[in-house]
Each structure stands twice: as structure tokens, then as C-alpha cells.
Amino acid sequence: NSLGILIGLLTVSFVPRTLGANNYGNFSFLTNSSKNILNLADSGSSICFFTQFSATKKKQEELTFYIFYTIVIAITLSIFIICLGLTNNLDFFFPKQTFKLVLLSFSWAGISWAQLRGSEVLDALKLTKISEILINSRKLLFLSLVALFFFFKILNIETFFFAHIGSITFEVRS
């Protein structure tokens, strides 16, 4: 997708320098860690779901069950992260990271995971064109938010997370 590549090149041209090496490294560490923990919690259930979802005629029942299952995973991970923060054990998994940034990274990972599952559902329902339009709209919104934050000199690790979360939320809600 050429639009995605162009947006990636534009973003990478100024975001790492603006955030600084330490904050950009923290962003990468937090997003990779939270994504990996979420994938571990998923345990391949999404693959099983989409195999079953594609094969069955009872799509509504399958989707309802999977949404419920996803909510259980989200609640469990939220309790885990909150307990780490309340018991001051956050440094064990996320050294030298603030509780706020860890919450932002898990919010980002969760909403990204939901977006990916939503795209897969649209693909399974043969609505790929709609999915691609939503993905491209999200990427343009993300670039616009990051550019605005940069222009107004408020681009930092938190606003960078907010740009990601806000643009993905737009796509998921659509």
C-alpha cells in the first residue's frame, strides 16, 4: 500500500528526532512489550476464531462469543496492569517506565488488536474494500494529528500515543 509507505516515511522523518532517542526508544519498548503480552494472552484464539468464522453459517453467534472472550482478556490484562502499578512491581516488567505510559501502551495495543480483528472480520465477510478505505483514512488522520502536534510544538511521547490511539479508535468506531 503506497499511501501507508508514504505516511510511514513522512512520520519517521521527524518523529524520532522530535521525541528524542530516549522517548522514541521507550515508545518502541512499550508498544512491543504490550503487543507481545497481548498476543500471549490471545494464545492463538484469533486464528481459531477466524478459521471457525469462515467455515460456519452461524456468524453472529461466533462473533458474539469472540467479542465476549475478547472482553474477558481485556479485563484480565487491565487488572494485571493495575495490580502491577498498585503494588509497585511495574519496574519488573517495564523498567523505568511511568504507570501512565504503560497504560497508554496497553490502550494502544488493545485498540490496535481490535482494529486488526475488525479488519479480519470485514475480510471474512468479503468487505475488503471498505476495510482498506478505513485503514487509509486512519493513516491520514494519524499523520494529520502528528503533524498538528509537531506544528504546535506539543509532540511528545504521550501525544504520540494519543495520535495512535485516536486514529485507530476512529477506524474501529467506523
Side-chain angles (χ1 to χ4, degrees):
N1 185 334
S2 56
L3 180 63
I5 292 169
L6 179 62
I7 289 172
L9 288 172
L10 288 171
T11 304
V12 82
S13 69
F14 66 91
V15 168
R17 264 182 272 173
T18 303
L19 293 181
N22 191 36
N23 280 332
Y24 194 72
N26 286 339
F27 176 82
S28 295
F29 168 72
L30 286 167
T31 54
N32 286 330
S33 297
S34 56
K35 196 171 22 171
N36 288 336
I37 290 170
L38 188 63
N39 286 336
L40 178 65
D42 178 40
S43 300
S45 63
S46 56
I47 294 169
C48 295
F49 165 70
F50 285 105
T51 302
Q52 185 68 23
F53 187 74
S54 297
T56 186
K57 300 287 185 207
K58 301 176 187 175
K59 295 200 184 299
Q60 184 64 40
E61 291 174 19
E62 297 288 331
L63 191 55
T64 302
F65 172 79
Y66 191 68
I67 289 171
F68 176 75
Y69 175 76
T70 301
I71 290 170
V72 170
I73 289 175
I75 290 171
T76 304
L77 282 176
S78 297
I79 291 170
F80 173 71
I81 296 301
I82 290 169
C83 286
L84 284 178
L86 293 175
T87 60
N88 294 324
N89 288 314
L90 201 60
D91 272 359
F92 182 74
F93 290 99
F94 306 99
K96 299 178 183 171
Q97 303 301 321
T98 66
F99 185 61
K100 184 177 184 179
L101 289 179
V102 171
L103 287 177
L104 284 171
S105 72
F106 271 90
S107 299
W108 170 84
I111 199 78
S112 296
W113 189 71
Q115 177 273 328
L116 183 59
R117 300 294 87 82
S119 288
E120 290 170 345
V121 167
L122 288 174
D123 288 346
L125 296 173
K126 297 178 178 42
L127 299 171
T128 306
K129 189 171 186 176
I130 292 170
S131 177
E132 290 300 318
I133 290 170
L134 290 172
I135 289 169
N136 287 330
S137 298
R138 175 194 29 98
K139 289 177 181 179
L140 287 171
L141 177 60
F142 170 73
L143 180 62
S144 300
L145 288 172
V146 170
L148 279 171
F149 292 155
F150 179 77
F151 179 74
F152 287 109
K153 298 187 184 328
I154 58 171
L155 183 61
N156 58 41
I157 190 169
E158 289 178 15
T159 56
F160 194 55
F161 268 119
F162 287 128
H164 276 285
I165 293 167
S167 61
I168 296 170
T169 302
F170 162 78
E171 181 183 348
V172 170
R173 287 192 46 120
S174 297

